[in-house]
Amino acid sequence: MTPQPPDRDPPPAPNACARTRTSGPFTVVEVTGEVDIATADLVAEHLTAAVSPPLPDVLVDLRPVAFLDCSALRVLCRAEARAAEHGGRLRIVSDDPRVHRLLRAAGLLGRFPPLPALPGQRRDST
């Protein structure tokens, strides 16, 4: 794992739904399992830390997610707004058509155009 810059707090400990790591210049929050009203706060904990100043560049990897509901979208929107307030950005990584449909139905596909893979990572051909 790449160490955090000295002016950033260490990421939260991994939990049942999220873990944070660095990948090159990016802070990657990997989200797993089911994210709903009962578990959204577990993801929010990692996103809140990830979008802290200075200039956060956050990738939210949703590829391992089995289920998302509107609670997860609320958490993503709040984190993206906070990143923008600090001069940074938050993007999502997902190649799952269900996630794309959810974003489209919520009117968020333009705000969160999904990347198919982490930058610099090849997409699986399977």
Side-chain angles (χ1 to χ4, degrees), residues 28-46:
V28 179
V29 177
E30 183 179 294
V31 182
T32 61
E34 297 185 2
V35 185
D36 56 23
I37 195 165
T39 59
D41 286 344
L42 296 173
V43 175
E45 174 186 20
H46 281 262

Side-chain angles (χ1 to χ4, degrees), residues 51 75-88 90 111-112:
V51 298
V75 166
L76 286 170
C77 287
R78 285 183 180 169
E80 187 269 338
R82 186 158 182 223
E85 287 173 7
H86 298 301
L90 179 142
R111 185 172 178 179
F112 296 109

